[in-house]
Amino acid sequence: MTNAQRRAAGIRNGPDSIVDVWRSEPGRLQLIFSGSHLEQGRGTMVVRVGPDLKIDLAAPRATVVLQADRRSPGFDYDYAGGGDVFTCPGANGKTLYFYHGENHTDPTGRYIRGPKNGWTGIGMATWNARAGRFAKDGQIIGMAVDNTWRKDKNGRYKTLQGPPISGNPNVVPDRSGEYLYLYYTDRTDDPAYEAKGQDCDKRACTAVARAAVSQVCSAAGTGSPAPWFKYYKGAFTQPGLLGSGSKAVGKTAGSAGVGGRYTPIVDRFENRGETTPNVTWLPRQDLYVMTALRRPERDIAVRYSRDLLAWTDPEVLIGPAPKGYTNKYPRLNVIAGADGAERYMMLWTVKAEASWEDAELRGQAVRFASRR
């Protein structure tokens, strides 16, 4: 998708998130991502472009399916976008969207720009076919540091979180279909992660939470999402979201919108911090593949796993963007053909370092050698 095609579709800037392939109905594939929509004014929201997955998109058209709700000062008060679609099992299974939210509005009502001002979280929404939109069920994951606004020495409001931390969440079921695993980035003030390569007290690291598929799907659309639990010291024991007044392990006191502790799934390589992790299941390979962006070169790397917890060292799949541009938001999609073959499509955004106005959606077919 070129700049011209993006504007023709009605999108001011973006794609500002991973780009998921949504099989909204048999034989029809759509792209879903976040960006600013021309007809909706300022503010980022989730849009879908379809009806068919063609990277050249001869006549694209975007429709808004989710956006920030300014009626309540929650985790997604200023931003709702960037996430992943999952369809529940069964012929009439519900379609769910897991998304990233941001709140940049301080207690005085002032909107503060920048990645270090505000708080964040992950929410879930359920597709409403009659309305043609996703209806929000609520927040399901909070960060492992406090989100309370407090004044710094200069009298400016800050939080210990940062709006972009939770990134672009994605979900993948395990082999049994019993659990849904959610990968994202989290942050902690736990001193156990201050060692070299694990400095997650100051920067975000890859985290995972899980919930029972049956519970997630049965609760979807009720406005009361099923509970999620973060992976912490070898087990899924920490709550994805704490209630007001409750406490996480250690010294983090919970308030509305804050989550429990977590243990990073992969080490944070020195000066090569990985962001926007996304996991895809390759059925024919019996393999899970994690794509991630590695800084500062902005390489797109892959890791492999059999159990969703133990991952190989990263291997570079796509090299850095041209000078003056950056790679963003990699996502591997599996597109099953009528003949049963698997086709692997890597989608990511290449943007000018100066402006989202020059962002383009790129695609590349990739192959994976058998890793049995």
Side-chain angles (χ1 to χ4, degrees):
M1 179 185 285
T2 65
N3 294 323
Q5 290 170 330
R6 172 174 54 78
R7 289 190 291 269
I11 304 167
R12 177 183 289 107
N13 53 44
D16 188 16
S17 73
I18 61 171
V19 180
D20 196 15
V21 175
W22 180 17
R23 296 157 184 80
S24 58
E25 55 186 270
R28 293 169 71 87
L29 303 174
Q30 302 188 50
L31 304 179
I32 183 165
F33 55 85
S34 65
S36 295
H37 198 269
L38 292 172
E39 296 177 358
Q40 299 291 329
R42 298 177 67 91
T44 304
M45 54 207 66
V46 177
V47 299
R48 62 173 176 157
V49 179
D52 301 302
L53 176 61
K54 294 181 179 179
I55 301 304
D56 58 356
L57 289 173
R61 181 62 184 167
T63 55
V64 177
V65 293
L66 182 79
Q67 63 189 107
D69 185 352
R70 304 283 295 182
R71 293 175 296 180
S72 176
F75 77 102
D76 58 351
Y77 186 66
D78 294 302
Y79 180 105
D84 199 9
V85 176
F86 173 76
T87 300
C88 293
N92 299 311
K94 304 170 187 176
T95 297
L96 315 179
Y97 187 64
F98 298 86
Y99 68 97
H100 157 77
E102 298 182 13
N103 185 325
H104 295 262
T105 303
D106 72 16
T108 69
R110 177 171 171 255
Y111 180 88
I112 308 175
R113 294 185 180 277
K116 297 182 179 180
N117 301 292
W119 57 288
T120 183
I122 295 170
M124 191 187 82
T126 303
W127 180 247
N128 183 323
R130 179 176 297 179
R133 297 174 68 93
F134 285 103
K136 295 179 182 179
D137 280 304
Q139 186 178 359
I140 58 172
I141 302 289
M143 303 298 98
V145 289
D146 196 5
N147 63 358
T148 303
W149 289 94
R150 53 174 59 83
K151 290 184 178 180
D152 63 17
K153 62 182 181 181
N154 297 314
R156 301 188 185 94
Y157 277 103
K158 302 280 186 179
T159 78
L160 294 180
Q161 293 192 17
I165 288 177
S166 63
N168 288 244
N170 95 289
V171 293
V172 59
D174 64 6
R175 285 187 185 86
S176 68
E178 181 179 1
Y179 288 102
L180 199 59
Y181 284 64
L182 188 152
Y183 290 83
Y184 68 105
T185 49
D186 206 328
R187 185 175 178 181
T188 180
D189 54 8
D190 191 332
Y193 303 118
E194 291 179 356
K196 181 179 180 181
Q198 286 281 53
D199 51 349
C200 301
D201 60 316
K202 297 180 180 178
R203 294 184 291 179
C205 282
T206 300
V208 62
R210 80 176 186 184
V213 172
S214 59
Q215 294 180 15
V216 171
C217 292
S218 63
T222 68
S224 299
W228 290 74
F229 294 92
K230 298 183 183 182
Y231 183 76
Y232 182 69
K233 295 185 177 180
F236 290 90
T237 58
Q238 283 289 288
L241 194 65
L242 293 164
S244 179
S246 60
K247 294 184 178 181
V249 172
K251 60 184 178 181
T252 300
S255 61
V258 174
R261 297 287 193 190
Y262 77 102
T263 296
I265 290 297
V266 299
D267 291 346
R268 187 182 181 95
F269 279 53
E270 188 175 9
N271 297 321
R272 290 177 178 269
E274 295 184 13
T275 61
T276 56
N278 283 273
V279 177
T280 303
W281 167 240
L282 309 185
R284 296 290 292 271
Q285 297 267 3
D286 188 26
L287 189 69
Y288 296 100
V289 179
M290 176 189 291
T291 60
L293 198 65
R294 298 211 303 164
R295 300 169 185 265
E297 295 89 348
R298 302 299 200 279
D299 291 330
I300 296 174
V302 293
R303 294 175 182 266
Y304 302 95
S305 176
R306 297 291 183 189
D307 64 2
L308 289 167
L309 294 176
W311 293 90
T312 64
D313 289 340
E315 302 174 14
V316 174
L317 182 66
I318 295 174
K323 185 177 181 180
Y325 291 80
T326 58
N327 288 326
K328 304 276 286 186
Y329 311 122
R331 175 63 192 267
L332 177 68
N333 288 278
V334 179
I335 304 172
D339 56 359
E342 289 180 0
R343 295 167 175 81
Y344 312 130
M345 178 66 71
M346 174 67 71
L347 299 174
W348 76 99
T349 300
V350 177
K351 70 172 287 285
E353 294 177 344
S355 172
W356 271 115
E357 294 296 331
D358 294 315
E360 294 187 356
L361 176 61
R362 301 284 177 87
Q364 178 173 314
V366 295
R367 286 184 143 188
F368 294 97
S370 175
R371 301 183 64 88
R372 294 181 183 276

